[in-house]
Amino acid sequence: MPEQGVSVGQLLLAEYQTVKDEQKARIGFRDNLLYVTLGVVAAVIAAAAQAKQASMLLALPPVCVVLGWTYLVNDEKISAIGHYVREELGPRLARLAPAESDFVTFGWEAYHRTDVRRRSRKRIQAAIDLTAFCAVPLAALAVFWAAGDGGGPLVGLSVLEALAVAGFGVQVLLYTRPARPARTPA
């Protein structure tokens, strides 16, 4: 009589494939957000320069914060998926392997995190994120303030935007995860 249903191992592998597909999609979306941000920044700066209206630069802070927050949330979910695979899914699947086996499930999920240069890459990425999503809009606000052609409501708006950008910058730093101990190069 043929066996009915699916095994726990098959279910775990199907779950793994599903979460890895989600992670891959989120990585592509997240990475494209940097390009979209650069395109929007270039377009707004070009439009402001052509129109000689520094007040148009006030569009950059909210756009950069919204795109940056979307980037940050996707980055956090990408990391959470990796953590779930390493800490939950992998061990559950490993328990199904024969007891005498030294089988390591999804070894790449942990291995790639132990690279000796990972900490420096994480710091550089945080600097890039802060530059793209915080420094650029703050620079736009500085240009607006230096131009001095905004009335009271626009200046008030610009101060609120500066606070939003600064608050988002704090979030970028809070979401930066500390690196685990690095492996030594072979």
Side-chain angles (χ1 to χ4, degrees):
M1 180 168 159
E3 192 175 311
Q4 297 292 321
V6 294
S7 71
V8 172
Q10 289 170 321
L11 288 172
L12 292 173
L13 289 173
E15 182 181 10
Y16 171 75
Q17 188 60 54
T18 301
V19 296
K20 289 305 283 185
D21 287 346
E22 178 183 346
Q23 187 182 47
K24 184 170 62 171
R26 284 183 178 277
I27 288 169
F29 182 72
R30 176 204 59 194
D31 292 351
N32 283 328
L33 284 171
L34 269 175
Y35 301 123
V36 168
T37 302
L38 291 173
V40 168
V41 166
V44 169
I45 290 172
Q50 186 176 1
K52 295 182 173 51
Q53 291 290 320
S55 61
M56 291 175 74
L57 295 174
L58 294 179
L60 284 180
V63 168
C64 287
V65 168
V66 168
L67 290 172
W69 182 252
T70 306
Y71 176 94
L72 191 63
V73 167
N74 272 279
D75 190 59
E76 192 281 327
K77 294 300 180 212
I78 291 162
S79 296
I81 289 168
H83 181 79
Y84 176 74
V85 168
R86 284 187 310 280
E87 304 298 324
E88 299 291 329
L89 200 54
R92 286 172 38 209
L93 192 57
R95 285 192 291 273
L96 298 176
E100 68 277 355
S101 168
D102 62 350
F103 176 68
V104 177
T105 55
F106 313 125
W108 175 250
E109 296 289 339
Y111 180 79
H112 79 91
R113 297 174 57 80
T114 61
D115 178 41
V116 294
R117 293 182 189 91
R118 185 167 191 275
R119 285 184 186 208
S120 65
R121 278 196 313 276
K122 293 290 277 183
R123 282 189 216 112
I124 292 168
Q125 186 62 55
I128 289 169
D129 296 347
L130 287 169
T131 300
F133 300 116
C134 298
V136 169
L138 289 175
L141 289 171
V143 169
F144 168 75
W145 292 325
D149 64 353
L154 288 181
V155 171
L157 174 64
S158 70
V159 170
L160 291 175
E161 289 180 344
L163 292 172
V165 171
F168 175 68
V170 169
Q171 291 299 308
V172 169
L173 294 175
L174 291 175
Y175 275 85
T176 302
R177 295 186 176 180
R180 297 236 166 103
R183 68 177 189 271
T184 54

